[in-house]
Structure formats: C-alpha cells, structure tokens
Amino acid sequence: MDDVEAVVLVGGKGTRLRPLTLSAPKPMLPTAGVPFLAHLLSRIRAAGVRHVVLGTSYLAETFSEHFGDGAALDLKLTYVVEDEPLGTGGGIRNVAAHLSAEHVLVFNGDVLAGTDLTAVVDTHRRTQADVTLHLVRVPDPRAFGCVPTDADGRVTAFLEKTPDPPTDQINAGCYVFRRSVIDSIPAGRAVSVERETFPGLLAEGRRVSGHVDSAYWRDMGTPADLVHGSADLVRGLAPSDALPGPTGDAMILDGAQVDPSAKVFGGSTVGRGARVGAGASVEGAMLFDGAVVGAGAVVEHSVVGAGAVVEDGAVVVDTVIGDRAVVGSGCELRGGARVWPDAQVRGIRFSPDA
C-alpha cells in the first residue's frame, strides 16, 4: 500500500443528528467510547496506509485539536478546510494538492464498515480501473442509489432511488481513485461524484469497477443508526482497533460508576465520569461523559449527552438527550424525541399506555 493515500470527507454539518452535532461534527461524536472517526482511521492504518487527508468544514478545528498530526495513531494527518460546500467530488478535488500517491482511497466520514480495504485496492489494480467503488448488498435497496455491475465486475450504471431496483448492490461510500481522475474533476465548484463524475467516466468508456461484498456496513447519519452502530462496535460485531476496552455486553469507561444493582447491557457505553444509579436499566444506549442515569430509570437505544441527567424513575426510549439537559423524575420520552442542550423536561409522559 506504499502507493496509496487516503482522503476522508468530514465536512458535513450532521443536521439529522441534531442536537448532538450542535457542539461537535458528526465524525467526532463519541461512539463506543472514542470519536467515530477514530474507528475509521484505525482501519485505514491497519490496511497499511500511512497518509490521510481530512477534508473538513463544519467546526474544522475540533479534528486537529483531537488528533493532532496523527503520530499517536502512527499516521500522518493533513487537514484541508472547505470554505463552502463542494459536494463529494468537489471535496475530493479540493484536497488534491496534498496528495502524491498514484491511488487514493476515499471515504465518506459517516460510514461504519468492515470491508477488507486491501481487497478493494486489489480489485482496483487487478481490473486496471480508473475508479473502483465498494458496493454492499442490502436487503432493501429502495432507500439507496443502486449500482449494477456486469459479469466482469464493471459498473454499468448509477441509478437513483427507485421503488423497483434492478439490483441489491448500493454505493457504500468508499472508493479508490486513480490520481489522474481526481485531477480531472472541476475545481472551485460543487461536484457530485454520483451524478457527474462517475456517469461521465462511463460515458467516456472509462473503467469503473465494483468491489462487492457482504461485510458489515451502516450509514451513521441518524440517531438510531448511531446508537446501533456504537452497540455493534461494543459487542464486536463491527470491527475496530480503536476501542478503549475489550468487546462485550457493555463498555464502562474510566471513572464511570455503575451501581451493582443496575443493569447495563446490549452494547451500551457508559462514558467517563458517568453514573448509573441503583436499579436502573441501560440497554443498547450511549451515555456520554458525565451523564447521569438516576435510580430506577430506564434508558433504551438512546443517547444521553455529556453532563445530561435522566432523573430517578424516568423512562427514555429511542430518544436523544442533548448535553447538560435534564429529564425529570417520572417523565417518559419515546419514539424519536429529541431534547436540546440545557433544556429541562418535566411532567411529560409519552407512553404507549394510559
């Protein structure tokens, strides 16, 4: 992999994850105890790539403040700030001056995947492709753009979401570009690789290959996917070399306090300095640093932000609680509820029963 560098696009605002992304970019959200981006960087490093360029924009300084020059990860990290939204293609072109390798692995920074990156690069080299796409098979591809391939693995089309997709193969957000293709992307304007770059290559008769597998894959763009992805990391279902502890039913980080009578399971993470009270139940949830779950409270498949409090006896299911917010004793929040940072919720009960 000496002739391969990597680009990770991390400039998005993560609006679907608000209020969590009001204070941190999506790739920096604590996921199984570390920023989500750390898991991806660990996989890039494990594949043998040493230089990674991060295309940043929203809250750009948070990336360099945490990861620095990358030496702690045995990587060289370069940061490039995108002043205005440029799309996937424009974002790749925007970092081109910082690349020197013949082949470039490109990642969307909000995808959790377990594919063998060296195998994707091997497909790219073997087929002498201009661009190679990692494709995954999903049970229901209707919510995604479909990418059919022929018997030789050549991509034949890029199809928008359709109620009757001709294939179960979808774009998994990981590519290998030949450097010359990156240089051909128009500079200084927004460019979509799916709508402009890739179809343009096909129209020119260039080789666009697909590397298809059934490896673990999840788009981490929604709170539900973030929670499930974190739980899969904790339980070892999704691969990562960046976990701060052993895999298992829960990950309890340094300084956290869990009462012996509480139940914490289902891939939950209890952040640094967080507390879980007597008789509480925390299932498949993310408790950020300093969060508090009171005695007898129930937290399921939810995120409790940094310093937030779920008071005694409260029930929080499929909900996002922003940093420092308080859910009062006896409250019940369900079904996608979102509480903004510093808010106090009292006397509210969204229950399926009377």
Side-chain angles (χ1 to χ4, degrees):
M1 301 286 272
D2 290 343
D3 61 342
V4 180
E5 292 173 308
V7 171
V8 184
L9 301 174
V10 290
K13 292 184 177 181
T15 54
R16 291 184 296 165
L17 283 169
R18 287 180 179 171
L20 300 175
T21 49
L22 294 175
S23 57
K26 177 167 47 176
M28 294 301 293
L29 292 176
T31 311
V34 298
F36 172 73
L37 180 59
H39 299 293
L40 175 54
L41 292 177
S42 78
R43 292 183 53 246
I44 293 172
R45 168 63 182 82
V49 177
R50 293 295 180 272
H51 181 213
V52 181
V53 181
L54 300 180
T56 68
S57 180
Y58 176 62
L59 298 177
E61 67 282 355
T62 58
F63 296 97
S64 57
E65 287 172 356
H66 183 88
F67 292 106
D69 63 3
L73 303 173
D74 194 21
L75 290 170
K76 176 187 175 184
L77 297 181
T78 302
Y79 303 90
V80 180
V81 179
E82 194 174 290
D83 294 326
E84 59 185 45
L86 294 173
T88 305
I92 297 168
R93 182 65 178 85
N94 192 51
V95 307
H98 301 273
L99 300 169
S100 59
E102 172 63 21
H103 306 290
V104 181
L105 270 164
V106 177
F107 301 87
N108 290 341
D110 57 358
V111 172
L112 179 61
T115 192
D116 182 346
L117 298 179
T118 58
V120 181
V121 174
D122 287 346
T123 295
H124 181 73
R125 289 176 169 144
R126 175 177 53 80
T127 60
Q128 298 183 340
D130 293 288
V131 176
T132 298
L133 285 72
H134 174 217
L135 308 176
V136 294
R137 295 188 175 96
V138 296
D140 185 0
R142 290 175 297 177
F144 304 94
C146 294
V147 185
T149 52
D150 63 17
D152 191 36
R154 185 188 293 266
V155 171
T156 58
F158 295 89
L159 307 175
E160 296 297 322
K161 299 173 184 177
T162 171
D164 187 23
T167 178
D168 60 356
Q169 297 174 177
I170 67 167
N171 180 357
C174 168
Y175 321 102
V176 187
F177 276 76
R178 194 177 292 275
R179 174 57 194 268
S180 58
V181 175
I182 294 178
D183 291 338
S184 72
I185 298 173
R189 68 170 177 86
V191 179
S192 166
V193 291
E194 296 89 354
R195 295 181 175 86
E196 184 173 344
T197 306
F198 297 156
L201 290 172
L202 293 185
E204 294 170 6
R206 309 280 288 276
R207 173 76 192 215
V208 180
S209 294
H211 177 89
V212 185
D213 64 22
S214 299
Y216 182 97
W217 182 86
R218 184 180 291 276
D219 181 333
M220 301 284 274
T222 68
D225 281 315
L226 180 70
V227 167
H228 288 137
S230 179
D232 287 347
L233 283 161
V234 171
R235 293 181 294 174
L237 302 178
S240 173
D241 292 330
L243 293 170
T247 58
D249 214 23
M251 186 165 293
I252 313 299
L253 301 183
D254 293 344
Q257 301 176 29
V258 178
D259 188 275
S261 65
K263 297 179 179 179
V264 180
F265 60 106
S268 294
T269 302
V270 182
R272 296 163 184 82
R275 304 197 311 273
V276 180
S281 177
V282 178
E283 178 183 0
M286 304 168 69
L287 310 185
F288 288 1
D289 292 354
V292 176
V293 175
V298 175
V299 178
E300 297 178 358
H301 310 300
S302 298
V303 182
V304 182
V309 178
V310 178
E311 292 185 346
D312 296 358
V315 176
V316 173
V317 179
D318 297 325
T319 292
V320 175
I321 309 299
D323 295 348
R324 302 173 303 280
V326 177
V327 177
S329 177
C331 285
E332 183 169 338
L333 302 178
R334 294 179 178 268
R338 303 192 190 199
V339 180
W340 249 236
D342 300 301
Q344 296 201 14
V345 178
R346 302 191 183 278
I348 293 180
R349 188 175 182 87
F350 290 106
S351 179
D353 54 39

